[in-house]
Amino acid sequence: MRFTFIHIVLVFISCQVLAQKEKLNLINGNELYQKGNYADAEAKYLESLSEKPQYFEGSFNLGDALFRQDKYEEAARQFNYIAQNAEDKSLKAKAYHNLGNSMLKAEKLAESIDAYKNALKLNPNDEDTRYNLSYALKMQQQQQQQNQDQNQDQENKEDQENQDNQENQDQNQDQDQDNKENKENQDQKDNQQQNQDQQNQEDQNKQQQQTQQGEKISKEDAE
């Protein structure tokens, strides 16, 4: 990933600057920033703002120092404050530019794209911002495609699970039906056997009765 970042640097110190603590702290913070001592630079920028809370240059470079420490959300708040409150058009454009960078690093692509677009509205000729916007849009497109692929995979998984569940349900229903039919057939056989046994018993009883009657008649005939 390649994108530009803007930092405000005061290139000379006048007697008037030395008399103003907020600017002196800003310059001292810039020196620390250039040496890579971002935490110490942050402290100096905070001292500068304690002298003059609406010192936009101090807020801007404080945002830079926070950004370099990977404190992207905190950095974004500084740049957004400047973008919303500064009257200087150029400063507002730079603030939106760095706000876009902070949101991009925080993986908030929609907010990043909006910030870059606002920067270009204020400074349409800023090619660095245009490049960053193009990069963020490409990242957003890739993310959307990835989300679509994930959603499709999830839908396919759910469809397969539903199909498997339906097949299992159908198999269970078929098995239940087979079991029911088998039970009915068995019950029918049992009933037939029971009826047959009952009929046999009745026939046997009838035969016994006939035999007994025959024996009785024969005795009477004999007499």
Side-chain angles (χ1 to χ4, degrees), residues 206-218:
K206 185 176 181 181
Q207 185 177 2
Q208 288 178 352
Q209 289 176 357
Q210 290 176 350
T211 301
Q212 291 174 356
Q213 289 176 356
E215 291 177 350
K216 183 177 181 180
I217 293 172
S218 297

Side-chain angles (χ1 to χ4, degrees), residues 7-180:
H7 184 72
I8 296 177
V9 178
L10 300 183
V11 295
F12 65 91
I13 304 175
S14 66
C15 293
Q16 182 180 3
V17 171
L18 287 174
Q20 298 177 358
K21 290 184 178 180
E22 70 274 8
K23 292 186 178 180
L24 181 59
N25 284 324
L26 176 66
I27 293 172
N28 291 336
N30 287 349
E31 292 176 353
L32 292 167
Y33 182 95
Q34 295 299 328
K35 294 177 181 178
N37 297 330
Y38 302 122
D40 293 337
E42 175 188 349
K44 284 298 180 182
Y45 296 141
L46 287 171
E47 289 182 22
S48 177
L49 290 172
S50 69
E51 298 292 335
K52 186 179 180 181
Q54 291 186 337
Y55 186 34
F56 293 127
E57 288 80 358
S59 295
F60 196 103
N61 286 6
L62 173 60
D64 287 353
L66 292 168
F67 182 94
R68 296 301 181 186
Q69 297 175 78
D70 300 335
K71 300 177 181 179
Y72 304 121
E73 298 283 355
E74 296 179 45
R77 284 195 289 270
Q78 294 297 320
F79 297 127
N80 186 62
Y81 168 75
I82 299 166
Q84 297 299 323
N85 294 281
E87 296 181 359
D88 183 83
K89 186 176 179 180
S90 175
L91 182 60
K92 287 172 70 74
K94 293 175 181 178
Y96 274 123
H97 177 98
N98 281 11
L99 174 60
N101 292 347
S102 300
M103 291 290 94
L104 185 63
K105 294 291 287 185
E107 298 182 354
K108 295 186 177 181
L109 295 177
E111 292 87 341
S112 173
I113 291 169
D114 287 341
Y116 290 139
K117 288 181 178 179
N118 287 329
L120 286 173
K121 289 178 182 178
L122 295 167
N123 185 8
N125 298 322
D126 188 346
E127 294 302 323
D128 289 333
T129 299
R130 195 177 305 280
Y131 176 90
N132 292 5
L133 173 60
S134 177
Y135 179 87
L137 289 169
K138 184 178 179 180
M139 289 274 293
Q140 186 184 56
Q141 184 178 7
Q142 291 176 350
Q143 186 181 75
Q144 290 173 345
Q145 184 61 47
Q146 184 179 4
N147 290 338
Q148 289 177 357
D149 293 341
Q150 290 177 348
N151 291 336
Q152 186 62 46
D153 290 342
Q154 182 64 27
E155 289 179 2
N156 293 338
K157 181 179 179 181
E158 291 176 355
D159 290 341
Q160 185 62 44
E161 290 177 350
N162 291 335
Q163 183 178 353
D164 292 341
N165 291 335
Q166 185 62 42
E167 290 177 355
N168 291 333
Q169 185 177 357
D170 293 341
Q171 290 177 356
N172 292 334
Q173 288 177 348
D174 292 340
Q175 185 63 42
D176 291 342
Q177 183 64 27
D178 291 342
N179 293 337
K180 181 179 179 181

